[in-house]
Amino acid sequence: MEAKQSPQSGELHVLLGTEQTFPPPEHFAAQANANDPQIYEQAAADPEGWWSGWADKLEWIEPYEQVLDWSEPPFARWFGGGRLNASANCLDRHVAAGNGDRVAILWEAEDADDPGSGSERDGGRRSVTYSELLEMTQRVANALKSLGIGQGDVVGIYLPMLPETVAAMLACARIGAIHNVVFGGFSAESVKERMQFSDAKALVTADATLRRGEPTPMKKAVDAVAGEIATLEHIVVVDRCGTNPPMSDGRDHFWHDLLDRADPDCPPEPMDSEDPLYILYTSGSTGKPKGILHTTAGYLTGVTATHKLVFDLKPETDVYWCGADVGWVTGHSYIVYGPLANGATSVMYEGAPNYPAEDRWWQIIERYGVTIFYTAPTAIRACMKWGREHPDAHDLSSLRLLGSVGEPINPRAWLWYREVIGGGRCPIVDTWWQTETGAIMITPLPGLTTTKPGSATIPFPGIEATILDSAGKEIERGAGTLVLTRPWPSMARTLYREHERFIETYWQGYGSDVYLVGDAARRDEDGYFWIVGRIDDVINVAGHRLSTMEVESTLVSNPGVAEAAVIGIPDEMTGQAIVAFVIPEGGDGDDMEKELRDYVAEKIGKLARPKRIVVCDDLPKTRSGKIMRRILRDISVGEDLGDVTTLRDPEVVKDVERRFAEQD
Ligand code: WT7
C-alpha cells in the first residue's frame, strides 16, 4: 500500500513499517541506472558472469584468468592471475579519460567560515580535482618509499577527515603497502594495540584534530605510546592545526617537508588481484579486535558495483556525500574506493553535524548542491531531536537519493528522513553490510525496489542471503540467524595473522561455505529482510561497533575495579547504550562512576564511554561462577527476571536491582 499522504511529525510514531510501502518514484525508475529488473535473475543464474562484468569495467594491467576459485571454501580467490592497481583505478584512469579537472573532493573544514584555527595553507574550503589528488598521492607514495616502505609493509593511518587522509590511503595502494586506518576518535592506546597486532612500520597522523573549535592533539597522544610499538620506524605528521608538536629526529617527519622533496611521478605497482589492500580492525566477541583483511581486485569490484547501482550514481552530474568517517569501513568503501573508482565528486566534511550550529549539515547540502546523501540512523535521530526548523531553513531540493547505514533504522526516523530531508521525493536506501563484507549486501535498488521503512529489503544482485534456525534449517518466513550462502568478491579473506580465528568465527557454524554474519534477522511474507541485531557480544552504539568484552577488560584494568560486566541496552538516540556493572576493589566505590566513564573513554575512545556505571557488591553468577548478563540486561530494561533459582546466590539480584534504581 502506498502512503496516502505525508505523515505529520506528531503521528509518525503510530505508523508501523510493515503497513506502509514506498514504490520507486516513476520519474526515478525511468532514469535510474539500474532500471532493469532482470539483473536480479541474470546475476542469480550466473553470479560469476555478473561479477566479472563489473571487474571488466576496471583497468587491468594483466587480465585475470579465472573469475573465482571456490574449490576449498572458505578460501576464495577472485580474478586469479590478474594484475591491477587500486590507486590507478581511482585516479589515473579518470585523468587519462580527460576528467582530470573533475572535482574528486569538495572539502569543508569544521571552521570553514573562520579558518583561524586551521593550518594556514589550507583555508576553510578546498576543492581537489582528480589530477590534483593524483599528484598528491604520487608524492606521498614516493615519500613513503623514501622512508623504506614497500610492498606488504603495514602503514597505520590515524588522521582527521582531510583530503590528505584519502591520499595517504591511495599512496599505500599505489606502492603495494597495506594501510591500517584507525578512526581518529579512538584513543592512542587503541592505535598502539592495532599497530602492534599488525607490525606497522610507519604511522601517518596529524599534529591535532579540530573538534568544536579546539585543536585536540593527536601527535602528542601518539608520542606517549609510540615507544611501545616495536616495529614502528617512522611517523609522518600532517600539520592540520599548526600546533607545533614535538618532533623526534630521524623518526618524525612533517608531511609537507616530505612532499616538497618528493618526485611527483610514481608509477603504480602492478598488484596481484589477491594482494592485500588494507586491514581494518573491528570489534568481535572477545576483547581483542579483529584485523579484517581485504584484497585488491574483488574488493574494488564489489565497491564499484554497489556504489554505482545502490546510489544510482551519475558521476558527471551528482554531488555525493557520505557523512561517515574514513576510519570506518563505510568511509573506506563509500568515501574512498567506491566513489573514486566510479569517478564521482564527493563532499568531505571534517567536523561534527552540530558545530558551530545544528544546521551545519543542511548548510553544506545547500552550498554544494548535494544530490546523494548517506548517513547513519543515529545521526538522523539526533537531527530529529534538534528539530526540523534547521533543515527547513535550507534549500535541500538538490537531494534526489538518501541512504542509511550502520544499524537498524526505526520506521519513525526513516519516515522523518524521507519527509523532512528528502521532501517526500527521494527514495531511501537502507544498506545492510559489515566491515567483513566490504560492500553493501542487502539493500534496495532505488529505481527498482519498493521500500518498507525499517527493512534493508533484499540482497544485492549476485548476493545470496538466507535465515537459518539453530539446526541449520532454512526459515522462509520468520526470524533466525542471518547467513550469506554464496561467495562474493569483496568478502574478507582472513583476519590478519589469525586465520584460525577467521575460520572459527565465520565459517564453522553451518559449514565451510556458509558465512555466519553474527546478526539475527527476520524475513517477511514478501521475502524482505529485517535486521534484528547482533547475536554475539557485540553492541552497536551510535552505529559504532563495540565489544562488551573489550569494555569489560578495560574496566578491570583499572586498579579500583575487581570485576565488571558490560551490557548493551536499547537507547532512543544511540540505538544501544553501554551499561557497566562493577564491583569495586577494596573501598566502597563511592564516586567512582565518573572516573570510570572517563577511564574507558581515555583507554578505548569517547565512543566507548559507558552511559551508566552501576557499582554493586556482587554480580549475579551461576554456581560455576559465570556472570549472568541476561539478568543484568533484564534488570536494566525492567523485564521480568524469570527463574533466578539456579544462581549461586539469588539474593544478589535484589541488591543489584536496588543499586540500579538508586543510581539512576
Ligand atoms: C554491523 C556491522 C556497514 C558499515 C557500518 C557498520 C549492523 C550495519 C545495518 C543496517 C541494520 C546494520 C549489523 C552489522 N548494521 N548496517 N542497514 N541495518 N543493521 O559496519 O562496524 O562492521 O558493523 O552493523 O549488526 O552486523 P560494522
Side-chain angles (χ1 to χ4, degrees):
M1 192 187 81
E2 200 186 341
K4 294 263 160 41
Q5 59 179 65
S6 314
Q8 298 301 306
S9 45
E11 61 190 48
L12 288 180
H13 67 281
V14 296
L15 297 165
L16 285 173
T18 44
E19 288 171 10
Q20 269 194 306
T21 58
F22 296 88
E26 245 162 63
H27 72 276
F28 199 101
Q31 292 165 11
N33 278 311
N35 56 4
D36 179 1
Q38 288 188 343
I39 57 173
Y40 284 100
E41 282 132 62
Q42 286 163 2
D46 178 15
E48 292 184 24
W50 163 254
W51 291 119
S52 67
W54 284 99
D56 293 345
K57 296 186 204 297
L58 298 175
E59 189 180 80
W60 293 83
I61 298 167
E62 297 250 0
Y64 55 90
E65 289 152 11
Q66 187 187 20
V67 178
L68 169 66
D69 178 358
W70 188 238
S71 51
E72 287 172 65
F75 168 82
R77 186 167 179 249
W78 282 92
F79 311 114
R83 290 196 168 266
L84 76 173
N85 184 284
S87 86
N89 271 283
C90 289
L91 301 170
D92 306 57
R93 74 175 158 139
H94 304 312
V95 175
N99 293 320
D101 291 336
R102 185 184 293 168
V103 174
I105 302 174
L106 291 159
W107 182 75
E108 172 96 2
E110 187 198 71
D111 58 346
D113 285 319
D114 176 24
S117 40
S119 118
E120 265 144 44
R121 267 186 315 283
D122 286 350
R125 295 191 175 93
R126 291 158 69 187
S127 89
V128 184
T129 64
Y130 274 90
S131 296
E132 288 165 345
L133 190 58
L134 173 58
E135 191 193 320
M136 188 180 353
T137 299
Q138 296 194 78
R139 285 184 190 270
V140 187
N142 280 327
L144 290 174
K145 275 188 181 171
S146 75
L147 300 177
I149 305 295
Q151 208 166 313
D153 288 333
V154 174
V155 177
I157 298 179
Y158 181 50
L159 281 171
M161 290 283 284
L162 303 171
E164 280 74 8
T165 315
V166 179
M169 292 165 75
L170 294 176
C172 290
R174 198 161 189 92
I175 63 174
I178 306 168
H179 59 72
N180 175 4
V181 180
V182 181
F183 169 54
F186 274 119
S187 65
E189 283 292 321
S190 299
V191 175
K192 178 184 86 180
E193 178 180 74
R194 289 157 195 233
M195 296 304 116
Q196 286 173 336
F197 293 158
S198 63
D199 287 341
K201 215 166 150 181
L203 176 65
V204 189
T205 187
D207 65 324
T209 175
L210 208 55
R211 271 289 162 264
R212 302 183 185 278
E214 285 301 315
T216 308
M218 292 182 100
K219 167 67 166 59
K220 224 174 101 194
V222 164
D223 277 341
V225 299
E228 293 169 69
I229 309 164
T231 50
L232 191 70
E233 292 172 16
H234 297 284
I235 301 182
V236 179
V237 184
V238 175
D239 182 15
R240 167 64 187 98
C241 300
T243 57
N244 284 321
M247 299 289 280
S248 176
D249 247 4
R251 188 196 66 182
D252 300 347
H253 320 267
F254 272 116
W255 169 280
H256 53 265
D257 288 341
L258 291 178
L259 262 66
D260 286 350
R261 268 182 272 141
D263 196 295
D265 198 27
C266 177
E269 203 64 45
M271 304 303 291
D272 188 282
S273 289
E274 284 295 347
D275 275 334
L277 180 59
Y278 68 80
I279 313 167
L280 184 58
Y281 281 86
T282 184
S283 296
S285 292
T286 68
K288 190 180 177 207
K290 304 187 283 197
I292 307 294
L293 183 100
H294 284 294
T295 58
T296 306
Y299 176 78
L300 214 53
T301 301
V303 297
T304 306
T306 49
H307 185 256
K308 179 96 178 129
L309 293 191
V310 174
F311 298 103
D312 178 47
L313 182 81
K314 298 183 167 64
E316 302 79 19
T317 49
D318 273 316
V319 178
Y320 163 85
W321 183 18
C322 168
D325 191 283
V326 181
W328 305 106
V329 75
T330 307
H332 282 58
S333 299
Y334 299 109
I335 293 178
V336 182
Y337 289 106
L340 293 175
N342 282 325
T345 296
S346 297
V347 168
M348 186 178 194
Y349 170 53
E350 180 186 35
N354 56 348
Y355 187 88
E358 282 153 356
D359 68 341
R360 191 70 171 100
W361 273 6
W362 322 123
Q363 193 190 56
I364 293 172
I365 290 179
E366 181 172 11
R367 165 179 290 267
Y368 296 104
V370 171
T371 57
I372 305 169
F373 182 52
Y374 190 31
T375 188
T378 190
I380 298 166
R381 289 193 295 268
C383 295
M384 283 171 80
K385 194 179 90 181
W386 298 332
R388 69 173 291 166
E389 61 271 26
H390 301 295
D392 283 352
H394 293 275
D395 178 5
L396 306 182
S397 62
S398 57
L399 286 171
R400 65 180 192 92
L401 176 61
L402 300 173
S404 173
V405 62
E407 54 180 320
I409 178 164
N410 47 315
R412 194 169 157 240
W414 196 102
L415 292 166
W416 188 90
Y417 196 28
R418 184 176 194 278
E419 286 308 314
V420 178
I421 307 306
R425 70 185 178 277
C426 305
I428 295 183
V429 288
D430 174 1
T431 62
W432 175 87
W433 58 296
Q434 312 175 292
T435 309
E436 291 87 340
T437 67
I440 294 167
M441 296 283 107
I442 301 182
T443 178
L445 290 183
L448 284 179
T449 318
T450 292
T451 51
K452 304 182 185 185
S455 170
T457 74
I458 56 172
F460 186 79
I463 301 299
E464 208 172 85
T466 192
I467 294 175
L468 303 180
D469 68 13
S470 51
K473 204 172 141 289
E474 227 172 309
I475 301 175
E476 276 301 320
R477 306 284 170 260
T481 293
L482 181 63
V483 293
L484 302 175
T485 51
R486 196 180 253 163
W488 65 98
S490 65
M491 62 203 280
R493 298 298 195 267
T494 190
L495 296 181
Y496 197 60
R497 302 206 170 144
E498 292 188 297
H499 194 63
E500 271 312 302
R501 188 179 176 199
F502 176 67
I503 310 261
E504 280 162 22
T505 310
Y506 304 107
W507 302 98
Q508 276 185 350
Y510 299 96
S512 60
D513 57 352
V514 176
Y515 172 77
L516 197 57
V517 161
D519 283 359
R522 180 169 66 81
R523 190 157 40 186
D524 73 12
E525 60 288 355
D526 297 320
Y528 277 35
F529 288 83
W530 300 73
I531 309 298
V532 178
R534 302 288 308 188
I535 49 176
D536 48 14
D537 289 321
V538 169
I539 51 175
N540 191 323
V541 181
H544 299 151
R545 180 166 157 184
L546 287 166
S547 143
T548 53
M549 294 282 281
E550 200 177 342
V551 181
E552 281 175 16
S553 28
T554 301
L555 281 166
V556 295
S557 77
N558 184 298
V561 175
E563 262 186 278
V566 168
I567 56 160
I569 61 162
D571 183 277
E572 218 185 299
M573 286 313 287
T574 56
Q576 281 185 296
I578 300 177
V579 177
F581 295 82
V582 299
I583 306 178
E585 172 88 67
D588 53 10
D590 274 358
D591 300 329
M592 68 190 302
E593 290 89 354
K594 177 163 190 310
E595 183 204 317
L596 287 181
R597 293 171 70 229
D598 290 347
Y599 181 78
V600 174
E602 185 202 308
K603 289 287 171 189
I604 304 179
K606 278 201 186 115
L607 68 168
R609 186 195 293 271
K611 188 172 184 201
R612 289 195 56 193
I613 302 264
V614 182
V615 180
C616 321
D617 295 329
D618 202 355
L619 293 167
K621 288 180 185 151
T622 60
R623 292 209 176 94
S624 59
K626 245 184 90 185
I627 299 175
M628 298 271 297
R629 289 182 181 72
R630 177 189 66 77
I631 292 183
L632 296 174
R633 220 168 285 136
D634 289 347
I635 292 175
S636 307
V637 298
E639 280 273 315
D640 183 22
L641 297 190
D643 184 17
V644 295
T645 53
T646 54
L647 289 180
R648 194 167 61 188
D649 178 4
E651 288 302 304
V652 168
V653 172
K654 290 199 192 105
D655 178 61
V656 175
E657 272 182 311
R658 188 175 54 79
R659 300 292 191 126
F660 185 82
E662 262 174 19
Q663 296 171 30
D664 205 357

